């Protein structure tokens, strides 16, 4: 299964409008980081290594909304850091929902019990809870015991109140096909998550743990085995079928980093949220003054093992919309 029909139709028509207008680069979703502070210190993330003065900063609501308006993206993924630590995060979400943007609030879920009353269910809003495995594996990933149980409890409360809940799971070279199967079965069948997002871990340069990121061949083997025996078709993924093909090596794509640009306290990050080659102050500057052809596997050695969704999901989506066969397939696999 892939994204909800309302979202699919909106994204498809958005892409076609841009193609008709002759735009060859446009965002599908913006990664909005209104802060870098977090209440966890995960081994695979380096955001909290910023200096104390940077970690204290919070993006003003007006700045966040202006960036999204400038980009024109139909979807927004609010990340960080932990976005629920932002005192006005509910206002940011509320304004984006009013604009009928599809908003995913990425969170470790620890603050959901304290903040939930500030949010309202909407077809344009979803929680995106980070779950990196079952209890032992997830708690080891976030470097704190008890987080898995807290996250599951928060998910169930969100569901009880009528919210759409998605999850985001990152897999490392310590994972096996069985650990992938176990967590996806649990999220899909036991927790009944609306949609799941998955991604192989990329060697984020500031991450404390640099030993457990997946290479391309490791990624393909892992997902090929995990997806076998028809399991892939029954899991509710928030991904295009072509991106899932890409993960298991049935298709290969060029990186389309401009499809999911990242906007943070520093501005528009070049070329994506996983690499930092400077910042642009406007979206127009980001698109027009970034050498996009310099990035991707075979072009930049830092990209050699990257199969992250921020670079390759946009390519898969654009390829789907450009093909009648793949468009029909995407609809059938909902």
């Amino acid at each position: 299964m892939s994204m909800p029909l309302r979202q699919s139709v909106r994204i498809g028509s958005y892409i076609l409008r841009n193609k008709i207008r002759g735009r060859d680069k446009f965002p599908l979703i913006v990664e909005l980081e209104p802060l870098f502070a977090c209440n966890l210190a995960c081994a695979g993330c380096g955001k909290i290594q910023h200096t104390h003065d940077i970690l204290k900063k919070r993006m003003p609501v007006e700045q966040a909304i202006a960036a999204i308006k400038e980009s024109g993206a139909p979807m927004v993924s609010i990340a960080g850091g932990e976005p629920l630590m932002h005192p006005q995060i509910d206002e940011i979400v509320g304004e984006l929902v009013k604009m009928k943007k599809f908003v995913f609030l990425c969170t470790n879920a620890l603050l959901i019990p304290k903040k939930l009353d500030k949010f309202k269910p909407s077809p344009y809003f979803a929680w995106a809870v980070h779950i990196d495995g079952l209890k032992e594996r997830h708690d080891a990933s976030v470097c704190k015991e008890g987080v898995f149980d807290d996250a599951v409890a928060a998910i169930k409360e969100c569901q009880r109140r009528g919210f759409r809940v998605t999850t985001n799971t990152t897999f490392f070279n310590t994972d096996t096909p069985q650990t992938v199967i176990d967590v996806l079965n649990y999220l899909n069948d036991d927790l009944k998550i609306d949609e799941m997002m998955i991604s192989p871990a990329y060697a984020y340069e500031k991450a404390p743990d640099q030993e457990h990121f997946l290479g391309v061949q490791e990624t393909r083997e892992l997902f090929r085995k995990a997806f076998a025996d028809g399991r892939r078709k029954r899991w509710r993924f928030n991904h295009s079928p072509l991106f899932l093909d890409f993960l298991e090596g049935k298709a290969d794509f060029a990186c389309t980093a401009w499809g999911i640009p990242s906007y943070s306290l520093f501005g528009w990050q070049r070329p994506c949220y996983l690499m930092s080659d400077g910042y642009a102050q406007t979206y127009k500057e980001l698109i027009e003054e970034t050498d996009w052809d310099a990035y991707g596997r075979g072009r930049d050695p830092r990209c050699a093992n990257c199969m992250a969704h921020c670079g390759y999901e946009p390519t898969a989506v654009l390829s789907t919309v450009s093909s009648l066969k793949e468009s029909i397939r995407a609809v059938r696999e909902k």
Side-chain angles (χ1 to χ4, degrees):
M1 271 194 172
S2 55
M3 64 179 66
L5 182 59
R6 179 200 299 259
Q7 186 178 336
S8 297
V9 171
R10 174 84 170 275
I11 302 309
S13 61
Y14 166 80
I15 293 172
L16 290 175
R17 286 197 307 272
N18 278 282
K19 291 291 187 181
I20 290 171
R21 293 170 183 170
R23 297 181 66 193
D24 61 346
K25 292 183 176 63
F26 48 87
L28 300 181
I29 182 170
V30 170
E31 294 273 358
L32 177 66
E33 296 180 303
L35 80 173
F36 294 126
C38 190
N39 51 358
L40 289 175
C42 302
C45 176
K47 296 291 184 180
I48 62 171
Q49 292 186 15
H50 287 290
T51 58
H52 183 64
D53 60 320
I54 297 298
L55 292 178
K56 290 194 301 181
K57 289 185 177 182
R58 306 291 184 262
M59 185 183 293
V61 176
E62 297 78 11
Q63 181 181 342
I65 302 305
I68 303 306
K69 285 183 176 178
E70 181 198 4
S71 75
M75 298 185 289
V76 183
S77 175
I78 306 178
E82 170 51 58
L84 287 178
M85 292 177 66
H86 193 297
Q88 295 173 291
I89 189 61
D90 56 311
E91 295 180 37
I92 294 175
V93 169
E95 289 299 316
L96 292 173
V97 168
K98 285 181 186 177
M99 296 161 59
K100 294 188 176 181
K101 304 294 184 182
F102 291 97
V103 181
F104 297 86
L105 197 158
C106 303
T107 176
N108 57 41
L110 294 181
L111 290 175
I112 284 181
K114 294 181 179 179
K115 302 284 188 174
L116 192 53
D117 289 340
K118 294 178 177 288
F119 298 87
K120 296 180 180 179
S122 166
Y124 294 99
F125 174 69
W127 298 99
V129 180
H130 206 88
I131 300 290
D132 273 350
L134 297 181
K135 184 175 181 178
E136 182 178 350
R137 183 169 289 272
H138 179 73
D139 287 353
S141 176
V142 301
C143 304
K144 186 177 181 180
E145 293 184 3
V147 175
F148 178 83
D149 289 339
D150 289 342
V152 168
I155 287 171
K156 290 180 178 179
E157 180 61 17
C158 289
Q159 292 172 324
R160 188 186 72 80
R161 296 200 192 187
F163 287 93
R164 182 177 167 217
V165 181
T166 67
T167 53
N168 187 11
T169 303
T170 304
F171 294 104
F172 297 82
N173 68 7
T174 50
D175 278 292
T176 66
Q178 192 59 51
T179 64
V180 175
I181 292 167
D182 289 345
V183 68
L184 295 182
N185 277 343
Y186 177 75
L187 295 173
N188 191 85
D189 303 337
D190 297 344
L191 276 188
K192 301 187 185 305
I193 294 300
D194 288 286
E195 290 93 27
M196 302 175 293
M197 292 177 282
I198 59 175
S199 187
Y202 169 77
Y204 181 67
E205 62 182 1
K206 291 185 178 180
D209 181 0
Q210 291 288 322
E211 298 180 4
H212 297 120
F213 294 105
L214 287 159
V216 171
Q217 294 306 317
E218 289 176 302
T219 295
R220 289 171 175 166
E221 182 178 2
L222 177 67
F223 287 108
R224 185 167 55 248
K225 292 180 178 178
F227 289 166
D229 301 324
R231 283 182 291 267
R232 169 181 150 177
K233 290 185 178 181
R234 71 176 192 82
W235 287 328
R236 293 183 297 277
F237 285 120
N238 192 9
H239 290 295
S240 63
L242 277 179
F243 178 71
L244 299 177
D245 285 351
F246 169 74
L247 288 182
E248 58 177 314
K250 291 181 178 178
D252 200 10
F253 297 118
C255 175
T256 310
W258 48 262
I260 306 184
S262 175
Y263 184 77
S264 72
L265 293 165
F266 298 137
W268 295 96
Q269 187 169 332
R270 291 191 176 101
C272 64
Y273 82 98
L274 292 170
M275 293 168 59
S276 182
D277 283 359
Y279 295 84
Q281 293 310 302
T282 66
Y283 177 73
K284 185 174 185 292
E285 178 189 339
L286 173 75
I287 294 300
E288 295 181 356
E289 299 183 18
T290 302
D291 184 4
W292 299 105
D293 292 335
Y295 298 101
R297 292 203 308 274
R299 298 174 178 175
D300 187 318
R302 295 172 297 176
C303 304
N305 288 312
C306 180
M307 295 181 72
H309 64 88
C310 62
Y312 296 97
E313 179 76 84
T315 323
V317 171
L318 293 169
S319 298
T320 298
V321 174
S322 299
S323 165
L324 178 59
K325 177 182 176 182
E326 291 299 334
S327 295
I328 294 173
R329 177 189 174 202
V331 172
R332 285 178 174 172
E333 294 190 16
K334 288 194 174 301

